[in-house]
Amino acid sequence: MALFSAIGIAEFYRMALPERRLELPLAALSGSALIFIPLAGNDTLLLSGIGLLFIGFSLLFLFRVRTIDTAAREVAFAMLAFLYIPFLLIHLVQLRQTTFGIQWLLVIMLIVMTNDSAAYYSGSAFGKHRLYPLVSPKKSIEGAVGGLFGSLSGTLLAKFTFFPQLTLTDAAATALIVGMVGQAGDLFESLLKRSFGVKDSGTIIPGHGGVLDRIDSILFAAPITYYYVLFFFRG
């Protein structure tokens, strides 16, 4: 997770803050350090880490102003990088620490992967109504609905194979909720890329773009799954 965080932050900086070459490695390293904080079992440390990062990078940008007209926007992008990538990824670490942590991590992967595959094929076969053309012109409502059925197949596969503690209600609820939120995560990253004027977040994965292009759905799915487990799962 720390490695994904570091690469993701680097990709974000190259899209949003390409001139900030000193801040990029500092942000990648310090943001990735957040990933390890849940292992200490102290929520106060997590809040302290986020607070110190905010203050530290605020001071860094304060005394390394390029142009006053873009200063506020650059600071906002810098803080968004921390919230969007390491802070959301932390929830995967916290999820791993729950009683059925490994199973839930596999459930997230299944929800996202089956959603993506089902959305692609159902959208290609039946897609006629655009889902959100301003952000992602190719995605269709039919594809989004098909993706949710794919997510349901993923959670049911989990229930009847490696995760019998998952009830049918859990399977349906997580497929629907996490599936929709994961699709929103994909749309959000598309929004960022179109705003920054790039097609892919990076080139590290040939034919698939960057790390953010691969984990955009997981970034949004992770906290929702964790909070579902925390407040609703009774396995």
Side-chain angles (χ1 to χ4, degrees):
M1 291 301 99
L3 179 61
F4 286 148
S5 176
I7 297 173
I9 290 174
E11 290 177 352
F12 186 93
Y13 264 68
R14 292 190 188 106
M15 292 189 296
L17 301 163
E19 303 299 323
R20 292 289 184 170
R21 297 181 180 178
L22 170 65
E23 288 81 0
L24 188 155
L26 291 176
L29 290 173
S30 56
S32 297
L34 288 176
I35 300 295
F36 296 94
I37 293 180
L39 300 180
N42 189 336
D43 292 340
T44 303
L45 286 178
L46 180 57
L47 292 175
S48 301
I50 295 172
L52 289 174
L53 272 182
F54 180 87
I55 293 172
F57 273 78
S58 294
L59 293 174
L60 184 61
F61 277 78
L62 172 63
F63 294 108
R64 281 180 52 81
V65 177
R66 293 194 307 117
T67 60
I68 197 67
D69 292 339
T70 62
R73 185 179 64 189
E74 288 188 332
V75 172
F77 283 150
M79 302 310 163
L80 177 60
F82 291 132
L83 289 176
Y84 180 43
I85 303 165
F87 176 70
L88 295 184
L89 282 176
I90 279 172
H91 291 84
L92 289 178
V93 181
Q94 293 176 312
L95 187 61
R96 171 64 182 85
Q97 294 174 308
T98 61
T99 304
F100 297 100
I102 293 177
Q103 290 91 328
W104 275 112
L105 290 178
L106 291 174
V107 166
I108 288 182
M109 299 303 115
L110 280 172
I111 289 175
V112 170
M113 290 189 296
T114 54
N115 193 306
D116 285 347
S117 298
Y120 174 78
Y121 288 111
S122 58
S124 298
F126 308 108
K128 294 181 179 180
H129 303 88
R130 296 302 96 186
L131 177 65
Y132 199 172
L134 179 64
V135 171
S136 186
K138 295 183 179 180
K139 287 184 172 58
S140 65
I141 295 175
E142 292 81 1
V145 173
L148 294 180
F149 279 103
S151 292
L152 182 59
S153 70
T155 56
L156 290 176
L157 175 64
K159 173 178 173 51
F160 292 111
T161 53
F162 61 86
F163 200 0
Q165 295 82 3
L166 202 68
T167 67
L168 289 175
T169 300
D170 291 325
T174 53
L176 181 62
I177 299 170
V178 179
M180 287 193 296
V181 173
Q183 290 180 0
D186 182 68
L187 287 172
F188 180 74
E189 202 235 353
S190 295
L191 171 68
L192 294 178
K193 290 189 296 185
R194 290 180 72 83
S195 178
F196 297 142
V198 299
K199 182 178 183 295
D200 296 316
S201 66
T203 58
I204 194 171
I205 307 174
H208 293 278
V211 163
L212 287 180
D213 294 319
R214 294 297 90 202
I215 66 171
D216 50 8
S217 297
I218 295 173
L219 286 172
F220 274 35
I224 298 302
T225 306
Y226 173 69
Y227 296 127
Y228 180 88
V229 172
L230 203 61
F231 296 114
F232 300 105
F233 181 58
R234 295 294 179 265

